[in-house]
Amino acid sequence: MGIPRDNAATMEIEFKFCIPPDRLAAVQAAVRRGRCTAIRMEARYFDTPDGALASRGIAFRLRREGDQWVQTVKALGDGPLDRQEHNVARGPATEGTAPEPQPQLHSGTVAGARLQQALQAAGGSLVETYGTEMDRLTRDITRQGTVVELALDTGRVVAHRGTPQQAEAPICELELELKAGPVAGLAALAAQWATRHGLYLSTVSKAERGERLLAAAGSPSGISIPSDSPSRSGSPRKARPRSPLYQQLPAGKALQRAVVAQCLQQLLGPASDLAEGSSDEEQLHQLRIGIRRLRTALRELAPLAPGNFDPAWEPPLVQVFQQLGHLRDRSQVMQRIGAELQAAGAPPLSTHQGDNTALVAQAAQQTVRDAAFQEALVYLMAFTTPGLDATGDAAAGLDARATRHLLQQRLRALHAQVQKGARGFATRTPQAQHRLRKSLKRLRYLTEFVAPALDAHCARFLDSLQPALSALGRLNDERVAAALYRELAESGDLKAWFGAGWLAGRQAQSVAACEQALGQMEEAPRLRKTGKR
């Protein structure tokens, strides 16, 4: 990226990909096909003793770039593709020495303000936490009015340097940053490089890799690792809590963009971690929820600005959702139901049903790295970039009044569909009962999407849906488990018939629980006329 000019404040628009080790040589060769620049970089990262910066998504560092020191603060941006950054040149590098960090040099910028707020809340002191050593190869690509900088980084992150607890993690990343032109050109190049070289999107910054090393190796003296800090937890991070979408309901494409961005905020972290081999089942669960919410947004909000959602996004989302669902069924569902069966006196299965965490993680990794899925994520991220239309001159869509009218219609229609399916629920086929569950989930997600503009009844309405969603989820899990136990039994494990029979005997009770919970749902809330909170 070169040496930034003094006091350069920017909002970076970039994609970052991890490179599988067996693809690195090809990526290096591809980057070198044009005029490129090589630079050696060594960085020192700082935080407060209680980890105040990391817990707020802030990275503060001093980095030696060639023969210059540069001080940088980075903070989270408004969307999944952008972040706030401010750089200050700190003078020439002298062998063996580094300038002291000076947070006040970032005053007057968004990232600097967030840094100062965090430091004031924590008392202001800073300690060095970890560092990076890497080689960067950069090259600019110009195509149809878009200028994109490629940055290939290879090296390592080191924590607890020089101590018995020293730990390190590799860096092998390709970043594509928009320097000029429309974001659509950046997305097209990113998708091309990802597909050609088998790359996968990563939301794990170098700073977060350092935080994970700190957590895994144990905290050094003087640094306290807060238990509620996602980046310092011993397990892979969970999805960031979803922030409020807006104070006043946007119209047309603005609402589409805001909702898609929030859905991506939930699913990109788990997708990144699963692609790197995480075995945390919660990551798989969060990714499936995020995909389901995203598919609801693409379906229900498409009429707000017709033509803005690319139909090509949907098939890869469906494929990954279904494949991850099969993995969940054979791991989480079987483990949970199996524990209940054991408590009920079921004989141990002859077929080995031991811990298959590693196999599930490997299968999830292959699923999430799918080229079509990664390409869809690239274009969805580009769509959400505020102020930069990934779809060129796509129409802004309905005005505020028409937007509100259409959303109210959809809420009423979904609520009526659920009410109709709830009547005589016990007499309906399992397929119809499952369709009702999916309709209920869409109703819940659409209500959440427009919640800031709904009347005070919204929270109570959402609470009334939860018992039915839980009961229907339990019924679905029992049916999935029953099918798997029958499959085992028919394959020769006769002891599995106990589980199949026990689950069949529970069906009437579970269906009755669903009927009761469905009857407790309240009337759907209405959009307020003013649209204000």
Side-chain angles (χ1 to χ4, degrees), residues 132-309:
T132 60
E133 303 167 357
M134 66 183 191
D135 294 301
R136 169 167 290 180
L137 193 64
T138 61
R139 169 188 159 200
D140 285 349
I141 296 179
T142 301
R143 183 174 301 176
Q144 297 180 346
T146 300
V147 181
V148 174
E149 181 188 71
L150 301 178
L152 173 62
D153 292 339
T154 55
R156 63 174 185 163
V157 183
V158 183
H160 308 306
R161 187 189 302 275
T163 72
Q165 292 80 33
Q166 179 169 319
E168 61 183 69
I171 297 172
C172 190
E173 302 169 348
L174 180 70
E175 297 179 359
L176 291 88
E177 181 180 355
L178 182 65
K179 309 303 287 187
V183 74
L186 170 67
L189 274 172
Q192 181 185 76
W193 278 74
T195 300
R196 180 178 299 168
H197 297 289
L199 313 180
Y200 54 92
L201 286 162
S202 174
T203 62
V204 186
S205 66
K206 297 175 182 68
E208 187 167 6
R209 294 193 190 280
E211 295 294 332
R212 291 182 178 187
L213 284 177
L214 287 178
S219 174
S221 175
I223 299 179
S224 171
I225 300 177
S227 60
D228 61 346
S229 173
S231 60
R232 293 194 177 200
S233 62
S235 62
R237 72 230 160 118
K238 305 298 186 289
R240 285 165 44 196
R242 297 191 299 272
S243 58
L245 282 170
Y246 32 70
Q247 297 295 314
Q248 186 166 323
L249 190 71
K253 185 177 181 179
L255 179 59
Q256 290 179 332
R257 177 183 285 126
V259 172
V260 170
Q262 195 197 48
C263 294
L264 289 174
Q265 183 184 15
Q266 180 176 10
L267 70 84
L268 285 174
S272 173
D273 286 342
L274 289 172
E276 288 202 43
S278 171
S279 59
D280 189 345
E281 291 182 345
E282 180 64 18
Q283 301 286 49
L284 190 152
H285 178 60
Q286 288 295 329
L287 177 54
R288 292 190 77 244
I289 292 175
I291 293 176
R292 191 189 289 275
R293 294 181 80 250
L294 178 57
R295 291 177 60 199
T296 296
L298 297 179
R299 174 174 178 168
E300 300 297 335
L301 304 184
L304 297 180
N308 283 339
F309 291 155

Side-chain angles (χ1 to χ4, degrees), residues 408-424:
Q408 191 70 69
Q409 282 186 321
R410 287 306 303 149
L411 283 171
R412 289 177 180 173
L414 279 172
H415 190 256
Q417 186 176 337
V418 170
Q419 286 182 314
K420 180 179 179 181
R423 289 192 290 270

Side-chain angles (χ1 to χ4, degrees), residues 18 61 70 131 144 192 303 324 330 398 424 445 447 468:
C18 279
R61 75 176 183 226
V70 178
Q144 297 180 346
Q192 181 185 76
L324 294 180
R330 292 188 175 273
L398 303 180
Y445 296 146
T447 302

Side-chain angles (χ1 to χ4, degrees), residues 313-327:
W313 297 342
E314 176 78 5
L317 296 176
V318 173
Q319 179 180 0
V320 170
F321 180 84
Q322 291 177 342
Q323 290 179 350
L324 294 180
H326 294 318
L327 295 177

